[in-house]
Amino acid sequence: GRSMAALLPWLGAAALLLPLLLVPAALLARRRRGPRAPPLSLLVVAGSGGHTTEILRLLSCLSESYSPRHYILADSDKMSEAKIRSFEQKRAETFSNSQFTLDRIPRSREVRQSWTSSVVTTLYSILYSLPLTYKLKPDLILCNGPGTCVPVCICALLLGLLGLKRAIIVYVESICRVETLSLSGKILYYFSDYFIVQWPALKEKYPKSVYLGRIV
């Protein structure tokens, strides 16, 4: 009935959070045995415009165990920092021990940038991001489509291959992507641990993905 229909969006959000909540339990169980486990370090890749708005909506559902939250955004992004600081200020009113950091990296690809020059700028962004990712050593990376997430995730994969730090990558494709993946999605589809889409057409084309309906 109507009550069941009203619950469907919340059930979808709960389904999204389930793998995110199970991941830290597994990680922390390996890291330390005891009644109290350390918090989970979360790295969030923000993007200009709607990407940051969507990712902050997802973060609002996470508990205080996901701390500190390390935000990475492109150096040319002029809007996201204000949104993030406003979000964290409100979160601090609920969780007194809330912690976060903000870092910027060179944008890997600008809108309408040529593919040839994109290779160079992406390599530069990867070289810049590698020491930063190593310094932050996140347990979990959450991203939703901005090009900035590609060099960060590549660096996290490299650190894992080198045995320096294993990070779980959760990629949530933007709600705007109905029938085709974004360029970032096409790349990270093969490397992410969880790949979440919000439209059934994408689930049909990309069977590895998890379809949960609209979640943001």
Side-chain angles (χ1 to χ4, degrees):
R2 293 182 178 178
S3 59
M4 186 60 187
L7 286 174
L8 287 177
W10 294 101
L11 292 175
L16 166 69
L17 294 179
L18 181 58
L20 291 179
L21 293 174
L22 291 177
V23 166
L27 286 171
L28 298 178
R30 291 199 300 267
R31 192 190 302 174
R32 178 186 297 179
R33 295 182 179 181
R36 290 187 177 183
L40 189 78
S41 176
L42 174 63
L43 191 155
V44 182
V45 184
S48 57
H51 287 295
T52 298
T53 300
E54 288 185 11
I55 206 76
L56 292 179
R57 286 176 182 170
L58 293 176
L59 290 178
S60 65
C61 300
L62 299 183
S63 72
E64 59 181 326
S65 298
Y66 296 82
S67 180
R69 288 167 301 285
H70 303 293
Y71 296 92
I72 292 182
L73 53 154
D75 53 7
S76 59
D77 186 348
K78 307 301 181 183
M79 301 173 58
S80 295
E81 181 172 350
K83 292 181 180 180
I84 292 169
R85 291 191 181 280
S86 176
F87 170 81
E88 287 293 339
Q89 184 177 4
K90 293 178 181 178
R91 190 175 179 88
E93 296 174 359
T94 304
F95 305 112
S96 58
N97 60 341
S98 182
Q99 300 178 28
F100 76 99
T101 65
L102 271 169
D103 289 284
R104 292 180 178 271
I105 63 172
R107 188 182 290 273
S108 58
R109 183 173 185 268
E110 298 286 354
V111 178
R112 298 177 183 175
Q113 183 179 346
S114 68
W115 290 104
T116 304
S117 61
S118 295
V119 173
V120 177
T121 54
T122 299
L123 288 175
Y124 175 63
S125 185
I126 291 172
L127 291 174
Y128 191 97
S129 302
L130 188 58
L132 174 61
T133 308
Y134 177 72
K135 181 186 75 171
L136 298 177
K137 291 185 176 67
D139 298 309
L140 178 66
I141 297 176
L142 180 62
C143 49
N144 69 332
T148 308
C149 69
V150 174
V152 173
C153 290
I154 289 176
C155 290
L157 290 169
L158 287 174
L159 293 179
L161 290 174
L162 294 173
L164 299 175
K165 178 62 182 180
R166 170 76 169 97
I168 302 297
I169 299 175
V170 178
Y171 184 95
V172 182
E173 186 60 283
S174 172
I175 187 68
C176 299
R177 290 292 174 171
V178 180
E179 296 183 348
T180 60
L181 295 179
S182 62
L183 179 59
S184 300
K186 290 176 181 177
I187 296 172
L188 295 180
Y189 174 77
Y190 300 98
F191 304 108
S192 59
D193 297 279
Y194 298 92
F195 193 94
I196 299 167
V197 296
Q198 303 186 59
W199 294 95
L202 290 177
K203 172 61 180 176
E204 293 177 4
K205 292 181 180 179
Y206 302 92
K208 173 196 167 183
S209 64
V210 179
Y211 168 63
L212 300 174
R214 181 169 180 173
I215 56 177
V216 294

